[in-house]
Amino acid sequence: MQEKGSISIHTENIFPIIKKFLYSDNEIFLRELVSNAVDATQKIKRLASLGQYNGELGDLRVEVAFDEQKKTITISDNGLGMTAEEIKKYINQIAFSGATEFMEKFKEAKDANEIIGRFGLGFYSAFMVADKVEIQTLSYQEGAEPAYWVCDGSTEFEIGEGVLEERGTEITLYINSESEEFLSKYKLQEILDKYCKFLPVPIKFGTKTESVEDGVDEEGKPKYTSVEVDNIINDTNPIWTKAPSELKDQDYLDFYKQLYPFSEDPLFWIHLNVDYPFNLTGVLYFPKLKNDFEISKNKIKLFSRQVFITDEVKDIVPEFLMLLHGVIDSPDIPLNVSRSFLQADSNVKKINSYITKKVADKLAELFKNDRKAYEEKWTDIGLFVKYGMVSEDKFYDKAKDFVLVSNTQKENFTLTEYKDKVEAIQTDKDGQLVYLYTNDPAKQDAFIQSATKKGYDVLVMNSPIDNHFISQLEQKLEKTSLKRVDADVADKLIKKDDAPEHILTEEQSATVKNIFDKAINKPAYSVHLESLNPDELPVTVTMDEFMRRMKDMAAMGGGMGFYGNMPDNYKVIVNGNHKLITRILQEENEEVQAQLSKQAFDLALLSQGLLTGAELTEFVNRSVNLI
């Protein structure tokens, strides 16, 4: 049996295109060929279980080997094997049935996966790295003859009689000069670890040295000897393929360490297992989050039937769940998946919704079953829960029952509990409930103390997502607003009917305003006289809540760039009922008036961290002179 032929009249230019276009992703050739070998091995096992193959299965495995001198890489299996007719059908015709279409459309493809996936070119990815590819194969079918196929990357191929005596397939790649980096044990091991670490059939890549016990020495201590054993690079039964009932907590933690050797232990995890209306298994872990979101992203690995595809899962997993770590495996997602497929596929959308629901259910269960443990983990999961609430309405609807807010006393409340706590005292004269918060308890301590004296409670909102979370709460909660505790003086944060009376006349108020305007002499600071409690500070500097919030969002890249470019403007609130203001009015020496006013203003700046540089030095010198 000897035959020569041409793959297809339309394919004249296809190999150069494969080589050139797929070059940046050329390492996936090994994933494709090993996956094909695993499929062939699993199929023979299935045929045996159905009684359609009665021969010996033997030790089912795939082997990867290379020869640096001969410049070859060989992938062999003892799976189904092929007859010469099957080679013609599967290797020649099927792969290139779309060749004409390929020639027209390859320009539109965004990446290697899309090309391979769309045109069934998995086997032909070998030509990205090889000048010549050779197949030796023997089919499992009774009486089958061994077959041989060779192609040098042109459209010519040759089929002949093969040399294999055992069932299976052996594919040899003669590596081209640009791809000699792959003729390295370390490079191949790295690619196998990346794509094939959890394949369901053992994959052998060379051998490794292990120490085994070999009797005892004169003192009765065990002796060890070194032996060469097969280097099996994969775990054929990773935990996501097992039932949760078979697993202990330690199994989940060990697997996490296998995936992320340098990470701290996760907080908890979710085992995914669904087979209708789509297939999905996996384990998602809640890591200890750092405040830098970007470092935590792209840690979920996507597999299809235990073959690694990608760790860019943002079209499968909702944005906020990108902070999770772990593994998702779905045979419904093709191995050579493209971005456009993920965005359009209805199964992917269902997977997205399912994962969101599972995460919300797990958090609700943790909250309900052990609130104390949940609160202890809140520092780590709070950021994640708020991120989810801000970005997904469906998640908000579930999470509103287990999201926690924390106050300056380090007490935690659900949204309902917090409303019950503060509603009576923090509702203003118009029936609006006002929640006060600080994003820097140390810096805003004076304001917190003023609010506390009035019986108000102050929340701590200092995570990177809190600006957005605050805006969302105002949209979702009825007749509720949030104000930062330094947005105004305590008497004005929550407007009541019982404002203190003015002790200054209109004329005196105008005089005081004029004294402060002159002493401050800064356009960004506008002076306002208020009648406040005499125990409040004589001067307080605040920034309007709306302006400051817009600026904070602009700083975080929240689309408020216009506000970010505006200069800072502050309100200087002078407490007309404070005895220092009376003293300034009674002072006849204008220089002393100006000095006292400037001192009171600088103290207000100092408490906000706004007094720096030469102005701070001047304040210190003035304070020494006053003493």
Side-chain angles (χ1 to χ4, degrees):
M1 175 188 75
Q2 191 74 15
E3 188 179 320
K4 289 187 178 181
S6 179
I7 290 169
S8 153
I9 54 165
H10 299 295
T11 57
E12 200 170 334
N13 302 322
I14 204 161
F15 286 108
I17 289 166
I18 288 174
K19 281 182 186 175
K20 182 180 170 202
F21 196 95
L22 306 189
Y23 187 76
S24 61
D25 299 306
N26 56 2
E27 67 178 33
I28 62 175
F29 81 90
L30 196 56
R31 178 188 77 180
E32 297 295 323
L33 298 178
V34 171
S35 301
N36 287 349
V38 166
D39 284 346
T41 311
Q42 286 183 298
K43 280 173 183 164
I44 194 75
K45 201 172 170 184
R46 176 111 177 104
L47 290 177
S49 71
L50 295 170
Q52 292 175 23
Y53 174 68
N54 301 314
E56 280 292 315
L57 277 179
D59 180 15
L60 293 174
R61 59 165 56 182
V62 171
E63 185 166 348
V64 177
F66 75 103
D67 185 320
E68 206 171 346
Q69 263 64 51
K70 292 182 180 171
K71 297 189 177 175
T72 59
I73 295 174
T74 304
I75 294 97
S76 48
D77 66 71
N78 52 355
L80 281 178
M82 289 182 285
T83 62
E85 285 309 308
E86 283 170 334
I87 289 180
K88 288 180 197 173
K89 182 177 170 186
Y90 294 120
I91 301 293
N92 293 346
Q93 290 164 19
I94 289 186
F96 284 99
S97 59
T100 318
E101 186 191 358
F102 179 88
M103 288 300 289
E104 289 162 15
K105 289 194 177 176
F106 85 93
K107 297 185 187 79
E108 299 166 23
K110 308 288 184 298
D111 57 25
N113 278 329
E114 192 168 339
I115 292 185
I116 291 175
R118 193 188 297 178
F119 299 98
L121 296 172
F123 166 73
Y124 280 95
S125 64
F127 287 99
M128 297 192 295
V129 297
D131 285 327
K132 182 170 82 167
V133 177
E134 200 172 272
I135 299 175
Q136 291 281 359
T137 183
L138 174 60
S139 169
Y140 74 97
Q141 294 167 32
E142 221 169 296
E145 297 282 329
Y148 160 84
W149 177 95
V150 66
C151 178
D152 64 1
S154 69
T155 52
E156 306 298 314
F157 66 87
E158 192 178 308
I159 291 180
E161 194 175 321
V163 296
L164 282 198
E165 294 175 9
E166 306 264 320
R167 179 199 75 230
T169 300
E170 192 177 276
I171 297 177
T172 303
L173 280 59
Y174 292 83
I175 301 302
N176 62 38
S177 55
E178 300 106 69
S179 305
E180 287 179 13
E181 61 176 308
F182 294 109
L183 295 168
S184 144
K185 181 180 179 182
Y186 300 105
K187 183 68 175 172
L188 291 174
Q189 181 75 48
E190 180 193 330
I191 300 169
L192 289 168
D193 282 345
K194 180 174 176 182
Y195 293 107
C196 308
K197 200 177 177 69
F198 300 108
L199 280 171
V201 172
I203 293 155
K204 179 191 170 193
F205 178 54
T207 59
K208 60 183 177 183
T209 307
E210 277 187 1
S211 287
V212 293
E213 223 171 293
D214 183 23
V216 291
D217 61 18
E218 293 135 14
E219 296 173 18
K221 290 179 182 169
K223 281 197 307 186
Y224 294 91
T225 186
S226 293
V227 292
E228 283 294 300
V229 295
D230 288 348
N231 177 30
I232 303 296
I233 60 101
N234 56 325
D235 170 2
T236 57
N237 291 300
I239 66 170
W240 76 83
T241 63
K242 299 173 184 172
S245 55
E246 296 173 38
L247 299 163
K248 297 184 173 67
D249 285 359
Q250 195 56 47
D251 296 319
Y252 288 103
L253 292 170
D254 290 346
F255 183 62
Y256 189 76
K257 278 279 178 256
Q258 201 177 343
L259 292 175
Y260 315 103
F262 304 109
S263 295
E264 287 181 74
D265 281 353
L267 298 164
F268 47 88
W269 48 85
I270 298 167
H271 198 124
L272 306 168
N273 196 346
V274 62
D275 52 20
Y276 182 81
F278 48 83
N279 278 300
L280 180 75
T281 53
V283 180
L284 291 178
Y285 293 91
F286 284 68
K288 286 193 173 169
L289 275 185
K290 304 289 179 267
N291 268 354
D292 187 342
F293 284 0
E294 295 310 314
I295 291 173
S296 303
K297 285 186 176 178
N298 289 337
K299 293 289 176 72
I300 297 177
K301 297 173 187 293
L302 176 66
F303 289 75
S304 178
R305 294 186 177 87
Q306 294 171 240
V307 183
F308 174 71
I309 302 175
T310 180
D311 50 16
E312 287 189 17
V313 295
K314 72 171 180 225
D315 295 302
I316 298 167
V317 174
E319 172 72 20
F320 76 101
L321 293 180
M322 295 280 286
L323 299 173
L324 296 185
H325 294 177
V327 166
I328 295 171
D329 190 326
S330 177
D332 293 325
I333 296 167
L335 186 59
N336 300 292
V337 74
S338 66
R339 290 291 309 282
S340 53
F341 171 87
L342 288 176
Q343 286 159 359
D345 188 64
S346 62
N347 271 332
V348 169
K349 290 184 174 67
K350 286 177 195 156
I351 289 171
N352 189 311
S353 301
Y354 170 77
I355 293 172
T356 303
K357 181 181 181 303
K358 282 290 282 189
V359 168
D361 290 350
K362 177 71 175 184
L363 288 163
E365 176 197 321
L366 286 167
F367 175 72
K368 188 176 161 196
N369 292 351
D370 190 345
R371 170 134 179 199
K372 186 170 180 291
Y374 182 83
E375 288 192 14
E376 283 165 5
K377 293 185 175 113
W378 182 250
T379 313
D380 291 295
I381 54 177
L383 187 66
F384 165 85
V385 172
K386 289 174 183 176
Y387 190 9
M389 292 174 78
V390 165
S391 52
E392 293 254 335
D393 263 355
K394 279 183 188 167
F395 188 77
Y396 178 94
D397 293 338
K398 289 178 180 289
K400 68 180 189 296
D401 298 327
F402 55 72
V403 67
L404 297 178
V405 289
S406 313
N407 66 8
T408 51
Q409 308 302 307
K410 296 188 166 50
E411 298 169 315
N412 294 308
F413 306 89
T414 64
L415 293 177
T416 307
E417 289 165 355
Y418 195 68
K419 183 182 178 185
D420 293 343
K421 175 181 169 65
V422 301
E423 192 170 21
I425 194 165
Q426 289 183 210
T427 302
D428 69 14
K429 60 187 175 67
D430 301 318
Q432 182 88 350
L433 178 56
V434 180
Y435 292 168
L436 303 179
Y437 70 94
T438 172
N439 70 337
D440 190 336
K443 190 174 165 186
Q444 292 151 12
D445 184 68
F447 291 93
I448 294 167
Q449 289 199 31
S450 290
T452 310
K453 274 183 208 161
K454 294 188 75 67
Y456 299 156
D457 192 74
V458 180
L459 294 170
V460 177
M461 294 276 193
N462 58 359
S463 82
I465 200 77
D466 275 335
N467 278 329
H468 298 284
F469 182 58
I470 287 163
S471 299
Q472 191 189 40
L473 289 180
E474 288 180 327
Q475 286 168 27
K476 298 279 189 183
L477 302 178
E478 205 177 329
K479 291 195 81 176
T480 303
S481 64
L482 283 89
K483 287 187 186 173
R484 201 165 89 179
V485 71
D486 61 346
D488 213 328
V489 288
D491 281 352
K492 300 285 181 181
L493 282 169
I494 303 171
K495 289 178 178 154
K496 304 278 187 179
D497 287 324
D498 56 351
E501 286 181 30
H502 280 285
I503 62 167
L504 300 182
T505 64
E506 275 189 38
E507 191 184 340
Q508 287 173 320
S509 295
T511 305
V512 171
K513 184 177 181 328
N514 190 37
I515 292 167
F516 273 90
D517 277 337
K518 276 186 187 168
I520 295 168
N521 193 24
K522 287 183 174 180
Y525 290 83
S526 61
V527 177
H528 300 261
L529 242 76
E530 304 275 7
S531 57
L532 307 175
N533 189 314
D535 295 336
E536 289 290 347
L537 291 168
V539 179
T540 309
V541 175
T542 65
M543 183 188 273
D544 173 71
E545 173 76 16
F546 173 78
M547 267 315 283
R548 186 194 39 70
R549 213 182 279 187
M550 293 303 110
K551 280 177 163 294
D552 285 350
M553 283 193 174
M556 274 189 74
M560 299 291 171
F562 164 72
Y563 289 101
N565 297 326
M566 288 180 72
D568 290 344
N569 283 299
Y570 298 94
K571 196 171 170 184
V572 180
I573 298 165
V574 177
N575 181 1
N577 294 352
H578 196 279
K579 59 189 178 189
L580 176 65
I581 307 306
T582 309
R583 184 183 156 194
I584 289 170
L585 266 174
Q586 290 167 351
E587 178 58 57
E588 291 176 4
N589 183 327
E590 283 188 16
E591 199 177 314
V592 175
Q593 269 186 339
Q595 197 175 47
L596 289 171
S597 306
K598 188 78 168 80
Q599 189 73 1
F601 170 67
D602 282 353
L603 280 167
L605 290 180
L606 191 66
S607 74
Q608 285 273 57
L610 294 169
L611 196 63
T612 56
E615 290 182 334
L616 178 58
T617 309
E618 187 196 328
F619 167 76
V620 172
N621 292 336
R622 190 189 325 118
S623 301
V624 171
N625 293 335
L626 284 170
I627 293 167

